[in-house]
DNA sequence: ATGGCGGTCATGGACCGA
């Protein structure tokens, strides 16, 4: 089974790219972030034609997350905790993989810049509440996959120029601590777990030829509980969608399980 | 580079992203 995660920076502006990706790479489940549309305007029919059901937690203009899936997802939840700004940043559900029930959690963490503003406070509060609800979920199910746009650069190796990011909301120690704490709960950053020294990115901004120069960062992640390590076949960052016309600034990350 | 580019929308230019 293949699960992909992709911040598409508007599902409607990116519809051709997403359809092309589904046809070429055929994920069983695609976690989408930043769909930037309300449920009613989500292109459900386009995906239905390709055999995908849509589970959408949309919002006008900003944010929004969704699952596209070929397999059944049960117990869809969008209210794991109370979002103080009522933004659509999390959708979760359960799938069955052989004898294991797996809890899938698709997230779009607030960016948090600039620091020293209410945006940064919001990110801190959001992550605090998120970790609390993950801790609770772990008491119910030891099989959890969290994926999405974390807006966290885990370590120096994960950004092209780490010196410049020390006081950035994506790389501040205070923010990276949330990520480390999740690992302490019993999750693996499965990309880094299987690629100890590899320097690859999932995001390149649109400016000044960042993609061509490979000035990027790794901020889209798959965290899986230790229970699921035996089920992992591969984890790959697929750069191809970022190289196509009219791309998202993020590229998909893909997990294969058996 | 308090900008660069690209997305949305009470379509103007503001706001947002990372």
């Amino acid at each position: 089974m293949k699960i992909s995660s992709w911040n598409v920076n508007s599902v409607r502006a990116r519809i051709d790219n997403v359809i092309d990706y589904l046809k070429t790479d055929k994920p069983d489940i695609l976690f989408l972030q930043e769909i930037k549309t309300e449920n009613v305007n989500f292109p459900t029919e386009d995906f239905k034609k390709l055999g995908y059901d849509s589970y959408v937690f949309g919002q006008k203009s900003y944010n929004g997350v969704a699952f596209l899936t070929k397999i059944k997802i049960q117990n869809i939840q969008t209210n794991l905790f109370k979002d103080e700004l009522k933004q659509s940043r999390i959708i979760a559900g359960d799938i069955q993989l052989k004898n294991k029930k797996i809890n899938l959690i698709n997230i779009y963490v607030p960016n948090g810049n600039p620091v020293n503003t209410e945006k940064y406070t919001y990110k801190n509060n959001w992550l605090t509440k998120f970790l609390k609800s993950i801790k609770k979920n772990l008491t119910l199910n030891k099989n959890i996959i969290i994926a999405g746009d974390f807006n966290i650069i885990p370590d120096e190796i994960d950004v092209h120029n780490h010196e410049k990011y020390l006081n950035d909301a994506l790389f501040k120690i205070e923010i990276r601590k949330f990520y480390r704490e999740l690992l302490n709960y019993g999750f693996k950053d499965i990309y880094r777990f299987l690629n100890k020294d590899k320097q690859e990115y999932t995001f390149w901004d649109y400016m000044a030829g960042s993609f061509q120069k490979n000035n990027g960062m790794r901020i889209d992640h798959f965290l899986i509980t230790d229970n699921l390590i035996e089920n992992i076949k591969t984890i790959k960052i697929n750069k191809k969608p970022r190289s196509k016309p009219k791309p998202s600034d993020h590229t998909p990350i893909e997990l294969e399980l058996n």
Side-chain angles (χ1 to χ4, degrees), chain A residues 33 50 86 101 106 113 147 157 161 173 183 193 196 213 228:
Chain A
Q33 301 90 35
L50 299 174
K86 296 187 162 56
K101 186 171 104 171
N106 174 5
N113 277 314
I157 189 177
N161 190 353
I173 292 289
L183 303 186
F193 184 67
K196 290 290 176 231
K213 294 179 201 156
L228 294 172

Side-chain angles (χ1 to χ4, degrees), chain A residues 77 79-81 103 105 129-142 144 185 187:
Chain A
Q77 271 194 293
N79 58 344
L80 271 72
F81 58 88
N103 185 216
I105 302 175
K129 284 183 267 191
F130 177 64
L131 262 63
K132 210 174 276 178
S133 69
I134 293 302
K135 207 167 206 175
K136 193 177 120 200
N137 277 23
L138 279 168
T139 65
L140 306 170
N141 188 347
K142 300 290 179 210
I144 300 182
Y185 287 0
F187 286 90

Side-chain angles (χ1 to χ4, degrees):
Chain A
M1 185 175 58
K2 183 164 163 180
I3 304 179
S4 299
S5 173
W6 191 10
N7 176 325
V8 287
N9 185 17
S10 169
V11 70
R12 289 186 291 172
R14 217 66 60 211
I15 188 66
D16 293 344
N17 306 57
V18 178
I19 286 172
D20 183 38
Y21 176 72
L22 293 173
K23 284 182 176 168
T24 308
D25 291 275
K26 303 178 177 62
D28 296 286
I29 307 175
L30 175 57
F31 291 24
L32 294 173
Q33 301 90 35
E34 265 202 283
I35 59 172
K36 290 188 170 178
T37 186
E38 295 169 290
N39 290 29
V40 62
N41 293 321
F42 190 84
T44 305
E45 282 310 310
D46 292 314
F47 300 134
K48 192 81 207 167
K49 280 180 202 154
L50 299 174
Y52 290 89
D53 288 327
S54 299
Y55 297 95
V56 185
F57 185 33
Q59 181 184 332
K60 196 179 217 176
S61 301
Y62 306 117
N63 315 311
V65 287
F67 291 122
L68 304 184
T69 183
K70 287 183 170 177
I71 68 170
K72 194 169 178 63
I73 302 182
Q74 290 175 312
N75 309 321
I76 291 288
Q77 271 194 293
T78 60
N79 58 344
L80 271 72
F81 58 88
K82 196 172 157 65
D83 187 308
E84 69 194 50
L85 299 181
K86 296 187 162 56
Q87 298 187 347
S88 303
R89 296 183 172 277
I90 185 160
I91 186 167
D94 297 322
I95 56 165
Q96 195 69 35
L97 181 70
K98 289 180 227 164
N99 58 335
K100 287 179 177 168
K101 186 171 104 171
I102 304 179
N103 185 216
L104 303 180
I105 302 175
N106 174 5
I107 59 169
Y108 175 45
V109 178
N111 174 297
N113 277 314
V115 297
N116 304 319
T117 67
E118 67 289 344
K119 288 177 193 287
Y120 186 73
T121 310
Y122 174 56
K123 183 178 197 175
N124 249 291
N125 293 345
W126 198 96
L127 284 167
T128 301
K129 284 183 267 191
F130 177 64
L131 262 63
K132 210 174 276 178
S133 69
I134 293 302
K135 207 167 206 175
K136 193 177 120 200
N137 277 23
L138 279 168
T139 65
L140 306 170
N141 188 347
K142 300 290 179 210
N143 307 312
I144 300 182
I145 295 176
I146 308 170
D149 178 356
F150 282 65
N151 272 319
I152 299 175
I153 301 164
D155 229 316
E156 293 181 358
I157 189 177
D158 298 307
V159 60
H160 72 284
N161 190 353
H162 62 86
E163 300 88 355
K164 278 193 179 166
Y165 286 87
L166 276 172
N167 197 36
D168 189 284
L170 278 67
F171 193 58
K172 273 177 82 78
I173 292 289
E174 186 179 27
I175 295 298
R176 290 154 69 191
K177 271 190 184 160
F178 285 108
Y179 198 75
R180 287 182 204 165
E181 200 174 340
L182 274 175
L183 303 186
N184 289 338
Y185 287 0
F187 286 90
K188 292 280 184 289
D189 171 346
I190 195 65
Y191 176 85
R192 186 54 71 213
F193 184 67
L194 295 177
N195 302 284
K196 290 290 176 231
D197 306 311
K198 218 167 173 179
Q199 193 156 21
E200 285 189 305
Y201 306 130
T202 63
F203 168 89
W204 301 260
D205 70 35
Y206 290 120
M207 278 83 86
S210 294
F211 183 63
Q212 287 70 25
K213 294 179 201 156
N214 199 27
N215 292 343
M217 52 181 80
R218 191 174 73 92
I219 53 176
D220 300 87
H221 309 298
F222 268 95
L223 296 193
I224 66 152
T225 43
D226 292 334
N227 258 23
L228 294 172
I229 290 175
E230 60 187 20
N231 299 96
I232 301 306
K233 262 169 77 182
T234 63
I235 179 83
K236 285 181 194 153
I237 293 169
N238 181 354
K239 275 181 81 169
K240 205 177 278 170
R242 183 64 181 82
S243 71
K244 301 220 164 160
K246 213 172 176 294
S248 167
D249 40 9
H250 295 249
T251 212
I253 177 166
E254 306 169 340
L255 178 75
E256 268 192 288
L257 299 145
N258 54 23

